[in-house]
Amino acid sequence: MHACHQHEKMCVSLVPIFNHLETEQMAEIMKTAKSGTFKRGEIIYHAGDKSDSLYILNKGKIRIYRLSESGKEQLVRILHPGDFTGELALFKEETHESYAEAIAMTQICMINRTDLQELLLKYPSISIKILTEFSNRLEEAERQTTRFATEKAETRIAVFLAECLEDQGQFNMLELPMSKKDLASYLGTTPETISRKLADLQHKGYIRQISNKKIEVLDLDGMLLI
Amino acid sequence: MHACHQHEKMCVSLVPIFNHLETEQMAEIMKTAKSGTFKRGEIIYHAGDKSDSLYILNKGKIRIYRLSESGKEQLVRILHPGDFTGELALFKEETHESYAEAIAMTQICMINRTDLQELLLKYPSISIKILTEFSNRLEEAERQTTRFATEKAETRIAVFLAECLEDQGQFNMLELPMSKKDLASYLGTTPETISRKLADLQHKGYIRQISNKKIEVLDLDGMLLI
DNA sequence: CGACAGGTTGACCGTTATCAAAGATCGTGG
DNA sequence: CCACGATCTTTGATAACGGTCAACCTGTCG
């Protein structure tokens, strides 16, 4: 673990929290940050760990998942460079409830709790950035909860495809951002159901499966009316 | 709509956001706050409304619910005095995704977006309070999502009863905090299923239904092992 | 007292989980 | 860079879970 040296990298990785700050403030933040690397399969933090850092992903991919009361795993999200995690437990003196696992060679920057809180008090505008980010996450989490509560698996899958399409801005071609096993865990279903429902959607003419991860959407509106 | 006059009420209603501030700062905040009252059934905000206030509940009860993509309603939470809402859209220049409906004679205080952001920049400690609150809500929302994703209805109901018991600290007697219809909506199921599963739990000897809303828990651990 | 919303119960059926087995894909180490 | 093993994916058969519809019951409030 050593301080982050490359400003370019920091600029990338700290989007969207710190990118509105002046260079000198950035330098100050960089001084307080540590970096670390993890190999595929390594756990960055466990549920139950006392949490004391904000982790900002520089390079690689991280899988965030939770275990339910009965021990079943659910994928919460996948982090890409520039995303951060660990923020939840930063503001409550408690422990993580989720697991963070590197799923590729991964490099992260870490800012510990006390340093971050000092930064927040010193540069209140950072707070507003984080609040904004939290708002979005909360809205997203509640939307997701409502979907689970009210939609069946087929609809959840269709909505997920629609969101992929929107995110990737690729007209009518999309690439699944994770394995179907992970997708099943993310959508609260099983890999078998994902397979079958995609086959159904294809049968009905809404999509065409090009390859394992590539899907062409033929009738977005029709698909969403299911 | 008129300024909030009674400091006592403010102190109550602004817990837990502002209660660490000095009296004079409190006075400043009170100057910027407006108050309003709503009758049972009145809507405080609609999904789609441009949101521009933080609402702090003084007196009464508010039902927060969302509509899914396909138009089904889900109860997100019920607010009690001291709780706040409207915070989400405050940090993104967008609109509400949820509905807030008074379910009793209700009195609220409102702080508008620009005033609040000024307060945040002036008193960074408020940000940390709100961040803490957001963290808790986010954790809660993600835990709820995981439950929907991985547990069946019976387990969700059992876990809900366990949480009621914990919240109410009443040893082994609990009172449902909402109608079974609302509970069904909150737990992503139907009133029929709630009825049946409670009857099942009673049959298996885990609970005893005293009256419509009162339940005695006979074997908490057993119930949670379902 | 009657009306109405909420709650319960039964019968039935659609959706999806589960188990099993075969086929495809990926990552790793030689 | 290729080949092998591990993991992921697909498909089929089956069963469980819970949603829906309908009828009836209950309590509440004018």
Side-chain angles (χ1 to χ4, degrees):
Chain A
M1 309 255 181
H2 54 282
C4 282
H5 294 303
Q6 295 151 286
H7 194 167
E8 301 78 6
K9 262 187 199 163
M10 281 295 283
C11 282
V12 170
S13 77
L14 296 184
V15 168
I17 312 182
F18 300 119
N19 62 352
H20 63 296
L21 295 176
E22 307 299 327
T23 316
E24 59 204 84
Q25 297 170 356
M26 199 66 129
E28 182 186 349
I29 292 167
M30 283 163 59
K31 263 188 291 180
T32 72
K34 304 267 178 291
S35 82
T37 59
F38 294 84
K39 287 202 282 279
R40 174 184 171 80
E42 288 187 315
I43 301 291
I44 296 162
Y45 58 78
H46 280 82
D49 280 3
K50 187 127 183 37
S51 96
D52 61 350
S53 286
L54 180 70
Y55 302 90
I56 303 154
L57 179 55
N58 244 331
K59 225 169 68 178
K61 265 190 186 184
I62 299 177
R63 239 167 64 95
I64 308 290
Y65 62 93
R66 306 175 52 103
L67 296 185
S68 71
E69 278 83 0
S70 63
K72 265 167 269 173
E73 178 181 318
Q74 196 221 354
L75 181 66
V76 176
R77 80 182 62 83
I78 289 186
L79 302 185
H80 300 277
D83 296 338
F84 60 92
T85 185
E87 65 297 338
L88 282 192
L90 267 183
F91 300 101
K92 11 174 262 167
E93 297 275 346
E94 291 175 27
T95 59
H96 288 289
E97 292 196 19
S98 58
Y99 299 76
E101 174 195 358
I103 51 175
M105 184 52 104
T106 282
Q107 186 180 338
I108 58 182
C109 277
M110 292 168 277
I111 301 177
N112 76 34
R113 187 210 308 270
T114 48
D115 287 345
L116 182 68
Q117 296 214 349
E118 271 168 36
L119 286 171
L120 292 181
L121 291 174
K122 201 157 168 192
Y123 305 115
S125 61
I126 301 177
S127 291
I128 294 189
K129 286 281 171 178
I130 298 192
L131 280 167
T132 303
E133 182 67 21
F134 271 30
S135 292
N136 290 328
R137 285 266 300 277
L138 199 39
E139 195 78 58
E140 180 61 29
E142 294 193 346
R143 195 179 314 128
Q144 190 76 339
T145 301
T146 299
R147 255 175 222 160
F148 279 117
T150 61
E151 312 285 14
K152 42 187 192 177
E154 182 167 38
T155 310
R156 298 202 300 272
I157 294 169
V159 169
F160 181 84
L161 294 182
E163 287 183 346
C164 275
L165 207 56
E166 194 172 345
D167 290 351
Q168 299 176 18
Q170 271 270 320
F171 179 50
N172 63 350
M173 205 64 105
L174 66 88
E175 184 141 357
L176 296 178
M178 56 186 109
S179 72
K180 286 176 187 169
K181 184 175 182 270
D182 279 348
L183 183 56
S185 165
Y186 181 71
L187 293 179
T189 182
T190 59
E192 292 94 326
T193 297
I194 298 277
S195 262
R196 282 191 248 270
K197 294 305 177 185
L198 286 180
D200 283 359
L201 290 174
Q202 176 158 344
H203 240 112
K204 293 177 192 159
Y206 297 131
I207 66 171
R208 197 163 62 92
Q209 303 187 64
I210 310 289
S211 67
N212 187 13
K213 291 238 164 64
K214 273 215 180 74
I215 294 177
E216 184 184 0
V217 176
L218 303 171
D219 178 5
L220 180 61
D221 296 336
M223 181 173 75
L224 292 176
L225 284 183
I226 298 174
Chain B
M1 309 255 184
H2 53 282
C4 281
H5 294 303
Q6 294 151 285
H7 194 167
E8 301 78 5
K9 262 186 200 164
M10 280 296 282
C11 283
V12 171
S13 77
L14 294 184
V15 169
I17 312 181
F18 299 120
N19 62 352
H20 63 295
L21 294 176
E22 307 298 327
T23 316
E24 60 204 86
Q25 296 171 356
M26 198 66 127
E28 182 186 349
I29 292 168
M30 283 162 58
K31 262 188 291 179
T32 71
K34 302 269 177 291
S35 81
T37 59
F38 295 84
K39 286 202 282 279
R40 175 184 169 81
E42 287 187 316
I43 300 292
I44 295 161
Y45 57 78
H46 279 83
D49 280 3
K50 189 127 183 34
S51 96
D52 60 350
S53 286
L54 180 70
Y55 302 90
I56 302 154
L57 179 54
N58 244 331
K59 225 169 68 179
K61 265 190 187 182
I62 300 176
R63 237 168 64 94
I64 308 289
Y65 61 94
R66 306 175 52 103
L67 296 184
S68 70
E69 276 86 358
S70 63
K72 265 167 270 174
E73 180 183 316
Q74 195 220 355
L75 180 66
V76 176
R77 81 182 62 85
I78 289 187
L79 301 185
H80 300 278
D83 295 339
F84 60 91
T85 185
E87 65 296 338
L88 283 191
L90 269 182
F91 301 100
K92 10 173 259 165
E93 297 275 347
E94 290 175 28
T95 60
H96 287 288
E97 291 196 20
S98 58
Y99 298 76
E101 174 195 356
I103 52 176
M105 184 52 105
T106 282
Q107 187 180 337
I108 57 182
C109 277
M110 292 168 276
I111 300 177
N112 77 34
R113 185 209 310 268
T114 47
D115 288 344
L116 182 68
Q117 297 215 349
E118 272 168 36
L119 286 171
L120 293 182
L121 291 174
K122 201 157 168 192
Y123 306 115
S125 61
I126 300 177
S127 291
I128 295 189
K129 287 281 172 175
I130 297 191
L131 280 166
T132 303
E133 184 65 22
F134 271 30
S135 291
N136 290 329
R137 285 265 301 278
L138 199 40
E139 196 79 59
E140 180 61 28
E142 293 192 347
R143 194 180 314 129
Q144 190 76 339
T145 302
T146 300
R147 255 174 222 160
F148 279 116
T150 61
E151 312 286 14
K152 38 187 193 178
E154 183 167 36
T155 310
R156 299 202 300 273
I157 294 171
V159 169
F160 180 84
L161 294 182
E163 286 182 347
C164 276
L165 208 56
E166 193 173 345
D167 290 350
Q168 298 175 18
Q170 271 270 320
F171 178 51
N172 64 350
M173 203 64 103
L174 65 88
E175 185 141 356
L176 296 178
M178 56 185 108
S179 71
K180 287 177 186 168
K181 186 172 180 272
D182 278 347
L183 183 56
S185 166
Y186 181 70
L187 293 179
T189 181
T190 59
E192 292 95 325
T193 297
I194 299 276
S195 263
R196 281 191 250 269
K197 293 305 179 185
L198 287 179
D200 283 359
L201 290 174
Q202 177 159 342
H203 240 112
K204 292 178 194 161
Y206 297 131
I207 65 171
R208 197 162 63 89
Q209 303 186 65
I210 310 288
S211 67
N212 188 10
K213 292 238 163 64
K214 275 214 179 77
I215 294 177
E216 184 185 0
V217 177
L218 303 171
D219 179 5
L220 180 61
D221 297 337
M223 181 173 74
L224 292 177
L225 285 182
I226 297 174

